[in-house]
Amino acid sequence: MAKSALTSSGRPSSGSGKPSIGQRIKNFTVDYFRQWELQSMVLPGILFMIVFSFVPIYGLTIAFKSYTVIDTLDSAPWVGLDNFKIILSDRYFWDSVVNTLAISFLKLAIGFVLPIILGVMIYEVRYSRFKKFVQTVSYLPHFLSWIVLGGMMITWFATTGLFNQLLLDLGLISQAQNILLDASKYWWIATLSDIWKEAGWGTILYLAIMAKIDPTYYEAAKIDGASRLRQIWHITLPNMKMIISLNLILTISGLFGSNLDQTLVLMNSQNREKAEVINSYVYRMGLAQGDFSYATAVGLGVSIVSVILLITANKVTSKLNDNQSVL
């Protein structure tokens, strides 16, 4: 006779392996009143999400309207998909898409792998004082705002700044120039500066996972004669597989997003053609020029594409992880 499946609360489920909707509602009600003190702690978070995440969704209707500051959400006239048609023919929007994807792919190619390598290197350090020093130095840029870091970079990249003086002393350039005014170099500046700021902070999750790995695995590998690199490849990295997959999914879903603070600080009239990203374009069209309907339409379209990327990345990584879904 087949054994009845059990739900997470220990109660038998229906024969299909999943409880019915009515049974799930009943189980939830029973669990809530059994642990009402703990369950009630979630209510402020739910209320926060309703007020600040779900209620504002109604405002997305202005993407299908011709909205101005003198209108209300209900009084603005409907224009259907006109705003989306304008997007398709807007050259400046597509320029921002190219810049966003270029910077995001560079960050994905370099910035996604670097925290993993840095985390493994920090974990492998046996001298605790040096390990703490490296962790502190690598974490520090994360706690500085882009206003501070941007001001530092503007100074460093100036004609008389640190980088020009260093390049002149090394004989790599013959004449100093303001690097931030060179549009052709902006993608790399944005990518490397963001990695410098966030790489150390990105190692926290990896170090937490590595700290939980059973040390007997490494002891057994040593007995078998495995080198340190083989131990990392066959023990450390496989145990980090799920958190790496999760970070990869979130990174891919955010390909059309970009660091608005960084862009607003580093962008200028000379490098705008390579610095303008979707977020700054929406900011400029919505708040600077007052075209709220068009900016909302752009933001809505990007959000839909990001959700599609999120679902696709989750499906792909679940296939690579033996059909174990990360999300």
Side-chain angles (χ1 to χ4, degrees):
M1 191 169 86
K3 296 181 180 179
S4 61
L6 297 178
T7 63
S8 59
S9 58
R11 289 183 290 272
S13 65
S14 61
S16 62
K18 289 185 178 180
S20 63
I21 296 177
Q23 185 64 40
R24 279 184 283 179
I25 295 175
K26 180 180 177 181
N27 293 344
F28 172 78
T29 305
V30 171
D31 289 339
Y32 179 81
F33 285 103
R34 183 184 300 167
Q35 303 175 341
W36 68 269
E37 299 95 339
L38 296 176
Q39 299 289 350
S40 297
M41 297 176 65
V42 183
L43 294 179
I46 295 175
L47 182 62
F48 181 88
M49 288 185 62
I50 292 174
V51 173
F52 293 100
S53 297
F54 289 97
V55 173
I57 290 177
Y58 178 68
L60 292 176
T61 56
I62 68 174
F64 306 93
K65 295 183 175 185
S66 179
Y67 177 82
T68 62
V69 291
I70 62 175
D71 295 317
T72 64
L73 292 179
D74 296 324
S75 66
W78 291 91
V79 295
L81 299 176
D82 287 355
N83 290 316
F84 296 92
K85 293 177 182 177
I86 297 173
I87 292 174
L88 296 177
S89 59
D90 187 350
R91 180 176 66 86
Y92 297 104
F93 166 74
W94 291 110
D95 288 343
S96 69
V97 170
V98 172
N99 293 334
T100 301
L101 289 178
I103 295 172
S104 295
F105 276 115
L106 285 173
K107 290 179 180 179
L108 176 63
I110 305 173
F112 179 76
V113 178
L114 190 60
I116 300 174
I117 298 174
L118 181 60
V120 172
M121 292 174 65
I122 293 174
Y123 179 73
E124 291 296 323
V125 174
R126 296 293 175 241
Y127 187 48
S128 60
R129 289 189 177 181
F130 181 70
K131 177 186 290 190
K132 292 179 180 179
F133 172 76
V134 172
Q135 285 180 282
T136 302
V137 171
S138 61
Y139 294 170
L140 184 60
H142 172 80
F143 296 99
L144 301 177
S145 70
W146 271 110
I147 300 298
V148 176
L149 291 180
M152 294 168 57
M153 293 181 63
I154 290 172
T155 303
W156 291 345
F157 290 137
T159 306
T160 57
L162 173 65
F163 278 88
N164 273 295
Q165 295 300 318
L166 183 61
L167 294 175
L168 286 171
D169 292 341
L170 294 175
L172 299 178
I173 58 175
S174 57
Q175 184 178 0
Q177 62 172 344
N178 194 317
I179 301 175
L180 271 177
L181 297 182
D182 188 350
S184 63
K185 295 183 175 65
Y186 181 82
W187 288 354
W188 286 105
I189 293 174
T191 300
L192 297 178
S193 60
D194 186 77
I195 292 172
W196 167 54
K197 186 177 188 298
E198 301 296 342
W201 185 255
T203 62
I204 290 180
L205 285 176
Y206 300 126
L207 287 171
I209 294 298
M210 286 185 281
K212 295 173 62 177
I213 298 176
D214 191 344
T216 57
Y217 293 160
Y218 296 104
E219 294 173 4
K222 288 180 182 178
I223 294 174
D224 290 339
S227 64
R228 201 63 200 174
L229 287 178
R230 286 200 169 273
Q231 293 176 39
I232 293 171
W233 185 257
H234 293 288
I235 299 175
T236 306
L237 293 180
N239 278 279
M240 295 165 58
K241 180 172 65 174
M242 295 304 292
I243 191 63
I244 291 175
S245 299
L246 176 60
N247 282 342
L248 180 61
I249 291 171
L250 296 177
T251 303
I252 291 176
S253 66
L255 284 177
F256 280 89
S258 188
N259 195 327
L260 179 61
D261 294 342
Q262 178 193 37
T263 304
L264 294 180
V265 171
L266 299 181
M267 184 171 61
N268 54 60
S269 59
Q270 299 298 314
N271 64 19
R272 181 181 295 275
E273 62 175 309
K274 295 293 185 181
E276 184 86 273
V277 294
I278 295 176
N279 285 345
S280 63
Y281 181 74
V282 170
Y283 170 84
R284 182 164 61 86
M285 296 299 295
L287 295 181
Q289 299 186 17
D291 195 346
F292 301 105
S293 295
Y294 181 78
T296 304
V298 173
L300 178 60
V302 170
S303 298
I304 293 173
V305 174
S306 297
V307 171
I308 294 173
L309 288 174
L310 176 67
I311 296 173
T312 304
N314 185 45
K315 291 291 184 181
V316 172
T317 52
S318 65
K319 294 293 184 181
L320 297 176
N321 290 326
D322 301 323
N323 292 322
Q324 296 181 7
S325 180
V326 178
L327 296 179

